[in-house]
Amino acid sequence: MSLAPAQEADLLAAAEAAARRAYAPYSDYPVGAALLFDDGAVVTGCNVENASYGLALCAETVAIAKAFEAGRRGGLVAVAVVGLKADREPITPCGRCRQVLNEIAALGSTDPLVLCAGSEGVRRVALSALLPHAFGPAHLDRASEP
Ligand code: THU
């Protein structure tokens, strides 16, 4: 699956704008995520850190939580992730975020395209490639849970 260049640029811009709203005083590694749904809606998130370091929330997880709260239960077609300080390797969603992304993807039977931004360009990879053989709702017989 691929996005039109303009759609891809818009999604990356939304993720970058979210990264600029990150609360990341401890790592100084601001991250933004933007989720694109099949109705064209975009839901963003940024990382939210905490004085108790281990409680940090990643940008992707924040975006997914917002999407669930907005009533979404599928329809995820693409995800853009931007790290403002990701100046070497393109950033990729951490393991926990891959699992969190998989939940909404599985509910809607989509395999979202993940755009990972770096200074050298954008890495485009399917979520199923980032998280093969994923554990998901179907394992618990909850494939179409509301
Ligand atoms: N972070 C994200 O927000 N998303 C990722 O996929 C990787 C890591 C955040 C967590 C923490 O606030 C900071 O980046 C440094 O690890």
Side-chain angles (χ1 to χ4, degrees), residues 45-66:
C46 63
N47 52 338
V48 180
E49 298 187 345
N50 192 279
S52 180
Y53 293 177
L55 301 185
L57 300 174
C58 287
E60 302 91 319
T61 289
V62 168
I64 288 288
K66 286 173 62 180

Side-chain angles (χ1 to χ4, degrees), residues 32-88:
L35 313 175
L36 175 65
F37 289 88
D38 54 7
D39 61 355
V42 173
V43 178
T44 58
C46 63
N47 52 338
V48 180
E49 298 187 345
N50 192 279
S52 180
Y53 293 177
L55 301 185
L57 300 174
C58 287
E60 302 91 319
T61 289
V62 168
I64 288 288
K66 286 173 62 180
F68 269 99
E69 192 280 335
R72 295 189 178 274
R73 299 291 187 270
L76 182 63
V77 295
V79 181
V81 189
V82 172
L84 296 184
K85 300 253 168 95
D87 48 8
R88 288 181 290 269

